[in-house]
Amino acid sequence: MFILPKKVTIIEVGPRDGLQNEQNYVAEDDKLAFIQALQQAGVQEMELTSFVSPKWVPQMQDAASIVQKAERKGRQIVLAPNAKGAELALAAGASSIAVFVGVSNTFNKKNINRTTEESMDALAPVLAQLKSQGIFIRACISTAFYCPYEGKIDPQAVVALCQQFVAMGAAELSVADTIGMANPQESYTLFTMLKEKLPETLLTAHFHDTRKMALANIYAALQAGVDRFDSSAGGLGGCPFAPGATGNVATEDVVHMLDTLHIETGIDVLQVCQAISRIAPHVSRPIDSGMYRLFSNGQL
Ligand code: HMG
Ligand code: MG
């Protein structure tokens, strides 16, 4: 018999994962208004942006300005793929940096132009330096279940990569179903293994909702003892280098599910929907989460 947690932390990734896949540039002020509205909804941890090559992901070209202008509230995370990204993030004033590596070599090459091993070798001194400067280090593990190029991923390989990251100084692991292919059994198995091997590390689950399995996978991860989940307001998102992937699980749907289970998140569903209505006119795809649909129909 499992015991559900009383409290869950939601890490809002909409301003980063949610917007990075948008072809049309979303103006800086609209991004900042979205961030502010999410903060007002109760979000305490949020990925604001990423310091990646503007040639690869033009949408994130305003990263430094976003970090400098966003109101400081809770833990604000920025992504950086390499030493240059970390350097730019620090210069902008970031205090929490997420690095990201794929378990799958092929995906990692498509995403950051390096093999997994090359990335880990290059990141080791970067993480050592960040740690010595007191920066909170989050490590995002992509393709932890399936890869769009290599297929099923061995959970042992995920555990090994996570252990390597923890040895290198990561305080948090965000373990991702990049293309939304995992099922609840796979979610339960992997997160149980990770909880057992790395009991001291903050463990977060990051589900994309391509096949509408994310809520079931979150429930399975809760059973495995996970109490931290990445999600994106409006279910926006997707990695531009993971073909077939759609958005992250929608924050408003996750919070609603947790509300019904009497699990506290500190986040207000109605206010998340209001935040989505600010960004919705600026994104190219319709918002199709369950809770936003009710909100739009005046039924929330
Ligand atoms: P590269 O072409 O191999 O880079 O790309 P390079 O090291 O050879 O440098 C080439 C040029 O880029 C140089 O400039 C560098 O200074 C510059 P030049 O001399 O030509 O003028 N450069 C940078 N500029 C800004 N910021 C940087 C940076 N690094 C080098 N950080 C690189 C390698 C990693 C840069 C590139 O592949 C890249 O930016 N990739 C980003 C991919 C990305 O953002 N993917 C989405 C995020 S991950 C994700 O969504 C998954 C996640 O949600 C979990 C999940 O769901 O799986 C986290
Ligand atoms: Mg993602």
Side-chain angles (χ1 to χ4, degrees), residues 16-17 20 50-57 79 81-82 84-85 88 100 107 111-114 140-143 176-178 206 208 238-241:
R16 193 281 302 172
D17 203 330
Q20 70 183 12
S50 55
F51 288 84
V52 294
S53 163
K55 285 188 195 127
W56 284 61
V57 187
L79 264 65
N82 55 13
K84 168 130 194 187
L88 293 171
F100 51 100
F107 173 76
N111 197 34
I112 48 179
N113 208 19
R114 305 284 183 277
C140 302
I141 314 294
S142 286
T143 58
D177 181 18
T178 309
H206 177 114
H208 283 263
C239 176
F241 309 102

Side-chain angles (χ1 to χ4, degrees), residues 30-232:
D30 295 319
K31 288 175 179 154
L32 288 165
F34 184 40
I35 290 167
Q36 191 183 30
L38 289 165
Q39 289 171 332
Q40 281 163 359
V43 169
Q44 283 296 324
E45 301 199 22
M46 186 169 359
E47 284 186 357
L48 293 188
T49 184
S50 55
F51 288 84
V52 294
S53 163
K55 285 188 195 127
W56 284 61
V57 187
Q59 185 66 251
M60 298 284 123
Q61 62 189 269
D62 50 17
S65 193
I66 294 289
V67 173
Q68 281 153 6
K69 291 182 187 162
E71 195 189 323
R72 309 259 151 183
K73 208 169 188 188
R75 192 158 74 84
Q76 291 171 323
I77 308 153
V78 301
L79 264 65
N82 55 13
K84 168 130 194 187
E87 188 190 313
L88 293 171
L90 289 177
S95 58
S96 193
I97 295 183
V99 291
F100 51 100
V101 170
V103 186
S104 145
N105 263 317
T106 317
F107 173 76
N108 204 58
K109 276 219 97 134
K110 302 264 185 200
N111 197 34
I112 48 179
N113 208 19
R114 305 284 183 277
T115 64
T116 304
E117 198 180 330
E118 284 165 352
S119 284
M120 294 304 279
D121 288 348
L123 285 172
V126 178
L127 264 55
Q129 201 209 336
L130 292 176
K131 198 171 155 82
S132 73
Q133 290 175 263
I135 301 295
F136 183 97
I137 302 166
R138 160 170 155 114
C140 302
I141 314 294
S142 286
T143 58
F145 295 92
Y146 288 88
C147 167
Y149 310 101
E150 293 184 12
K152 174 100 178 109
I153 298 293
D154 177 2
Q156 298 290 354
V158 182
V159 172
L161 194 65
C162 287
Q163 286 174 318
Q164 208 182 334
F165 260 127
V166 172
M168 277 160 56
E172 180 193 10
L173 297 161
S174 167
V175 177
D177 181 18
T178 309
I179 53 173
M181 267 189 85
N183 69 38
Q185 225 159 36
E186 291 164 326
S187 167
Y188 181 79
T189 302
L190 180 61
F191 285 109
T192 301
M193 285 165 74
L194 289 168
K195 274 276 168 198
E196 194 187 302
K197 299 282 183 197
L198 295 163
E200 306 301 327
T201 307
L202 286 179
L203 183 62
T204 301
H206 177 114
F207 289 108
H208 283 263
D209 207 14
T210 318
R211 292 166 183 77
K212 297 290 174 205
M213 302 266 267
L215 284 180
N217 287 332
I218 287 176
Y219 193 69
L222 280 169
Q223 293 182 23
V226 176
D227 60 1
R228 299 174 57 80
F229 295 94
D230 290 349
S231 62
S232 169

Side-chain angles (χ1 to χ4, degrees), residues 241-262:
F241 309 102
T246 57
N248 292 83
V249 64
T251 303
E252 59 279 17
D253 287 351
V254 180
V255 172
H256 170 73
M257 180 178 84
L258 296 172
D259 282 349
T260 65
L261 294 169
H262 306 291

